[in-house]
Amino acid sequence: DAGVIQSPRHEVTEMGQEVTLRCKPISGHNSLFWYRQTMMRGLELLIYFNNNVPIDDSGMPEDRFSAKMPNASFSTLKIQPSEPRDSAVYFCASSSVWDRETPNYGYTFGSGTRLTVV
Amino acid sequence: DAKTTQPTSMDCAEGRAANLPCNHSTISGNEYVYWYRQIHSQGPQYIIHGLKNNETNEMASLIITEDRKSSTLILPHATLRDTAVYYCIVRVGSNYQLIWGAGTKLIIKP
């Protein structure tokens, strides 16, 4: 398995533009998590899905952020309009909810997307 | 929610054992302790986890105290590539989320 795949690796955009980040989870994993990481705030959970359904989006900072998971192999995180304070590294992670009662439970992270909004 | 407390930073000499402590005094009986590390600019990487007993794998050893209120991650022969932020995490609650703290920045010195 190629692991969790995120694209793009780097994104530079101008304030006000729409940004779409993409994630392909590990095949067979049915939980997917979007995180944001900054120096000031560390790793923050934005939203997570179980079986393609959003379970908890309380970490989404505001209405400018939205996330979708149309199928088990793809998710997007969209920011519209983007602002300079959205600059951060965005990570996607996946896990298997079927393992959650077992010691095998854990997250596999992608390499992240470094977003810079100027 | 169970919380963890870790030192902000630590140094260790290359080739020596690195011992990273973690306090989780409010941990409940069925909560696992997980350790991840994040090397600069990469996504966090799983290292090891445990419930009660000490655990060892090819990367590290995990020592959990008998009362489960603290644990220590041991990297037996630290190399420069082990320089990273190490997160001690307790799996929390019915939603099985991993709650991330600030971690310990471990610097391995030649």
Side-chain angles (χ1 to χ4, degrees):
Chain A
D1 199 319
V4 176
I5 299 173
Q6 291 187 246
S7 64
R9 286 283 278 134
H10 302 275
E11 177 80 36
V12 180
T13 190
E14 292 185 347
M15 183 174 62
Q17 296 298 306
E18 178 180 292
V19 175
T20 299
L21 312 181
R22 296 172 176 80
C23 175
K24 176 179 169 54
I26 288 177
S27 178
H29 279 189
N30 47 15
S31 289
L32 183 140
F33 307 82
W34 281 102
Y35 284 87
R36 177 173 68 177
Q37 186 173 39
T38 61
M39 288 291 292
M40 292 295 294
R41 300 174 69 92
L43 269 168
E44 301 176 278
L45 178 65
L46 300 177
I47 186 172
Y48 78 95
F49 297 82
N50 280 351
N51 296 314
N52 313 336
V53 176
I55 301 301
D56 184 353
D57 65 354
S58 59
M60 297 285 262
E62 47 197 276
D63 292 345
R64 297 184 298 107
F65 285 69
S66 63
K68 294 182 179 179
M69 191 164 186
N71 57 63
S73 59
F74 183 65
S75 177
T76 60
L77 178 67
K78 186 176 293 185
I79 308 172
Q80 166 63 21
S82 57
E83 297 182 4
R85 60 191 167 123
D86 301 330
S87 296
V89 181
Y90 290 80
F91 288 104
C92 175
S94 71
S95 69
S96 172
V97 71
W98 308 121
D99 287 339
R100 65 186 180 187
E101 300 288 355
T102 78
N104 293 326
Y105 187 74
Y107 294 2
T108 302
F109 281 80
S111 300
T113 295
R114 181 173 296 275
L115 173 65
T116 304
V117 183
V118 298
Chain B
D1 290 355
K3 297 281 192 288
T4 61
T5 304
Q6 298 178 255
T8 303
S9 64
M10 294 180 62
D11 292 346
C12 180
E14 188 179 18
R16 304 296 294 269
N19 296 280
L20 293 93
C22 179
N23 288 322
H24 30 79
S25 58
T26 59
I27 193 171
S28 61
N30 61 349
E31 289 177 329
Y32 283 81
V33 180
Y34 285 77
W35 284 83
Y36 282 71
R37 74 178 181 185
Q38 187 174 23
I39 296 171
H40 182 61
S41 300
Q42 299 181 20
Q45 174 193 23
Y46 166 83
I47 301 173
I48 198 168
H49 68 274
L51 184 63
K52 298 179 184 177
N53 301 320
N54 298 337
E55 303 287 344
T56 296
N57 63 20
E58 64 278 5
M59 290 181 70
S61 295
L62 175 61
I63 309 297
I64 303 174
T65 58
E66 192 169 343
D67 62 8
R68 303 210 326 118
K69 292 186 177 182
S70 65
S71 60
T72 301
L73 179 74
I74 301 172
L75 307 178
H77 305 287
T79 70
L80 298 179
R81 289 180 297 178
D82 293 322
T83 293
V85 176
Y86 287 77
Y87 296 95
C88 169
I89 302 157
V90 174
R91 192 172 69 179
V92 177
S94 59
N95 56 13
Y96 301 92
Q97 286 193 57
L98 299 183
I99 307 299
W100 302 80
T104 296
K105 184 171 185 177
L106 176 67
I107 299 174
I108 306 300
K109 297 188 172 181

